[in-house]
C-alpha cells in the first residue's frame, strides 16, 4: 500500500493567544527593583531610633598615705562638683559610692550626665571615706580640679580627719577655727567657749550666736543653732531640722577669704567670676574673671564709701560698686547681704557678696 506523506508546516498561533502567553511568562520571571523603587521602599520603612548617648565617665583612685586598713564596712564617696556653685545644695553634679573599701588605693568609676556641664565651666572632685558607724575617716582637703572632657585617670589624695574640735574637758566645747561639713553646706566656725560666743560663716553669710545655758549649744533669736554636745556637731538654720556635721580640713572659699584678711568678697555667674577686697582706705583688689581665665589686680584701690576704683597693672580700668541690700544668687538660690557690680574696661559683671570684716 502506498502512503502519501504531506509536508509539515509551522503552525502560526493566533495573535490574541500569543499576546496572552507572553504576559503570563513575564509574570513568572523574578523582578529586580529599580533604584527609584528601592529608594522609595527604604523611605517607607521607619528608621531605627538613635541610641541615647551613654553617661560620661571619670575613672581614677582615691588614696591615703597612712599604712593602715580601713574598718570593715567603710565606704568611699566621690563627688563631681561645680566649682561655681561650691558649698551650695546644687554644687554636686554626680556622686558614686564604693562599698566595703578596705585599703589605699581605692579605685572608682564616676558616671555623670554631660548635659549638666556648662561651656567654660570649672569642676572639681571631692572624696571622703566614712567608717561603718558613719564617722568621717579620710577626706580630700582641697578640691581636685578636673576636666571632664579628658579621659586621663585621676588620683585623689585624702588626709586623715583629725580630732581637732573635740572637747578637751566636759562642757568646754570645741576650739576656734573649726570647719564643718553640714550636709551640702561647708561652715566655717569660730567658737569661743570662754566668753560663750560663736561666729559662723556659710556661703557668705555671717551668723553671730551666743551660748545657751548648758554651754554645749550656740544659738540666736532667728532659729539658727549649732549643737556641740559630746564632740558631735549639728546645725539648724532658721528653725529647720538639725543636720549632722563632721569636721573637715578645707575651708569654704568665703571662710578662706575671711581668714586671709579679706574685707569684702563677691561672686557671680555666667561667666563665673569673683572679686576680693582687702581692708583699709586703699586696699588691694583682685578679681578672677571668665571662670578663672583672666585675672585683674589693683594694688591700691581708691575707696568711696562702699565702692572701689583703680587701674590694674595691665592698664585695665576697674570699678566695683557695692550696695548693702538683700541679694540672691541666680543659680544656687543662696542669700547674701549685698549686691555687687564689677566693671572692667566697661565690661560689667553682676553678682552677690558679703562683708567678711568690718
Amino acid at each position: 500500500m502506498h502512503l502519501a506523506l504531506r509536508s509539515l508546516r509551522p503552525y502560526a498561533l493566533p495573535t490574541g493567544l500569543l499576546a496572552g502567553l507572553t504576559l503570563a511568562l513575564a509574570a513568572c520571571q523574578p523582578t529586580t527593583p529599580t533604584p527609584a523603587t528601592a529608594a522609595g521602599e527604604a523611605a517607607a520603612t521607619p528608621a531605627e531610633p538613635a541610641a541615647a548617648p551613654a553617661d560620661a565617665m571619670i575613672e581614677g583612685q582615691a588614696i591615703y598615705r597612712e599604712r593602715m586598713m580601713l574598718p570593715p564596712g567603710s565606704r568611699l564617696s566621690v563627688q563631681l562638683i561645680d566649682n561655681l556653685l561650691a558649698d551650695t545644695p546644687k554644687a554636686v553634679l554626680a556622686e558614686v559610692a564604693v562599698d566595703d573599701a578596705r585599703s589605699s588605693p581605692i579605685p572608682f568609676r564616676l558616671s555623670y550626665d554631660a548635659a549638666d556641664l556648662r561651656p567654660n565651666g570649672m569642676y572639681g572632685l571631692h572624696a571622703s571615706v566614712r567608717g561603718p558607724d558613719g564617722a568621717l575617716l579620710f577626706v580630700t582637703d582641697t578640691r581636685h580640679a578636673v576636666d571632664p572632657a579628658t579621659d586621663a585617670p585621676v588620683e585623689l589624695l585624702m588626709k586623715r580627719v583629725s580630732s581637732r574640735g573635740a572637747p578637751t574637758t566636759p562642757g568646754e566645747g570645741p576650739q576656734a577655727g573649726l570647719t564643718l561639713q553640714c550636709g551640702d553646706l561647708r561652715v566655717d566656725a569660730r567658737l569661743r567657749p570662754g566668753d560663750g560666743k560663736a561666729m559662723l560663716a556659710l556661703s557668705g553669710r555671717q551668723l553671730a550666736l551666743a551660748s545657751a545655758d548648758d554651754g554645749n549649744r550656740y544659738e540666736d533669736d532667728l532659729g539658727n543653732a549649732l549643737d556641740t554636745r559630746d564632740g558631735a556637731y549639728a546645725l539648724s538654720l532658721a528653725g529647720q531640722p538639725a543636720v549632722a556635721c563632721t569636721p573637715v580640713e578645707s575651708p569654704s572659699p568665703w571662710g578662706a577669704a575671711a581668714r586671709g584678711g579679706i574685707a569684702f568678697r563677691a561672686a557671680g555667674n555666667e561667666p563665673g567670676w569673683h572679686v576680693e577686697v582687702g581692708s583699709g582706705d586703699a586696699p588691694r583688689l583682685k578679681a578672677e574673671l571668665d571662670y578663672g581665665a583672666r585675672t585683674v589686680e589693683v594694688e591700691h584701690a581708691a575707696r568711696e564709701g562702699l565702692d572701689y576704683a583703680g587701674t590694674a597693672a595691665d592698664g585695665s580700668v576697674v570699678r566695683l560698686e557695692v550696695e548693702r541690700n538683700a541679694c540672691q544668687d541666680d543659680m544656687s538660690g543662696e542669700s547674701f547681704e549685698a549686691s555687687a557690680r564689677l566693671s572692667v574696661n566697661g565690661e560689667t559683671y553682676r553678682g552677690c557678696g558679703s562683708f567678711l570684716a568690718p
Side-chain angles (χ1 to χ4, degrees):
M1 180 173 62
H2 178 73
L3 295 176
L5 297 177
R6 298 177 61 186
S7 61
L8 297 176
R9 296 180 181 179
Y11 178 75
L13 292 173
T15 303
L17 180 59
L18 179 61
L21 289 173
T22 302
L23 292 175
L25 290 173
C28 295
Q29 298 299 316
T31 59
T32 301
T34 64
T37 303
E41 291 177 353
T45 303
E48 291 292 330
D55 284 349
M57 183 80 66
I58 297 175
E59 298 187 46
Q61 59 184 13
I63 66 172
Y64 55 85
R65 292 175 177 163
E66 287 78 2
R67 296 178 178 271
M68 59 177 288
M69 297 289 290
L70 297 172
S74 296
R75 167 182 282 200
L76 167 72
S77 174
V78 181
Q79 297 175 329
L80 175 61
I81 305 293
D82 186 332
N83 289 344
L84 189 60
L85 302 178
D87 309 310
T88 73
K90 297 182 180 180
V92 180
L93 300 181
E95 183 173 6
V96 66
V98 178
D99 293 325
D100 200 25
R102 299 306 304 271
S103 63
S104 177
I106 310 170
F108 66 86
R109 301 181 69 194
L110 174 61
S111 298
Y112 66 93
D113 187 348
D116 291 337
L117 304 184
R118 293 175 289 100
N120 301 320
M122 298 179 66
Y123 303 95
L125 293 174
H126 177 270
S128 62
V129 172
R130 292 183 180 274
D133 59 353
L136 186 65
L137 304 179
F138 289 89
V139 68
T140 48
D141 63 347
T142 59
R143 192 163 292 133
H144 181 95
V146 63
D147 181 1
T150 65
D151 296 329
V154 299
E155 184 175 87
L156 306 178
L157 175 61
M158 301 182 295
K159 293 188 177 181
R160 193 173 184 179
V161 175
S162 68
S163 59
R164 72 187 180 105
T168 55
T169 59
E172 181 183 359
Q175 302 300 308
L178 182 68
T179 299
L180 300 171
Q181 187 70 42
C182 305
D184 293 320
L185 287 176
R186 183 157 295 191
V187 180
D188 299 291
R190 287 178 289 173
L191 310 181
R192 297 184 294 180
D195 57 13
K197 295 181 180 180
M199 180 68 71
L200 306 185
L202 57 157
S203 299
R205 288 178 289 168
Q206 301 284 328
L207 301 179
L209 309 180
S211 178
D213 294 339
D214 60 5
N216 288 315
R217 179 181 173 87
Y218 298 85
E219 59 186 26
D220 61 15
D221 296 333
L222 302 177
N224 303 307
L226 178 67
D227 196 300
T228 65
R229 195 181 313 275
D230 299 326
Y233 311 108
L235 175 70
S236 177
L237 297 176
Q240 296 297 312
V243 176
C245 305
T246 53
V248 294
E249 298 292 335
S250 177
S252 72
W254 301 89
R259 294 180 188 181
I262 298 300
F264 179 80
R265 186 179 194 272
N269 310 309
E270 304 299 346
W273 66 276
H274 72 263
V275 62
E276 295 180 347
V277 184
S279 302
D281 293 331
R284 178 170 171 263
L285 181 153
K286 182 178 180 180
E288 292 190 10
L289 311 173
D290 305 327
Y291 302 104
R294 184 160 59 115
T295 300
V296 294
E297 185 172 341
V298 178
E299 187 64 30
H300 299 288
R303 181 174 180 176
E304 305 170 6
L306 298 179
D307 301 340
Y308 302 87
T311 302
D314 63 357
S316 299
V317 178
V318 181
R319 182 172 180 81
L320 175 63
E321 299 176 350
V322 179
E323 292 187 17
R324 194 185 289 270
N325 53 27
C327 182
Q328 187 175 53
D329 187 278
D330 56 8
M331 291 187 69
S332 68
E334 287 293 305
S335 298
F336 295 83
E337 61 180 329
S339 59
R341 180 177 180 270
L342 177 68
S343 175
V344 180
N345 286 337
E347 187 174 0
T348 301
Y349 300 82
R350 299 179 185 275
C352 301
S354 284
F355 300 93
L356 306 180

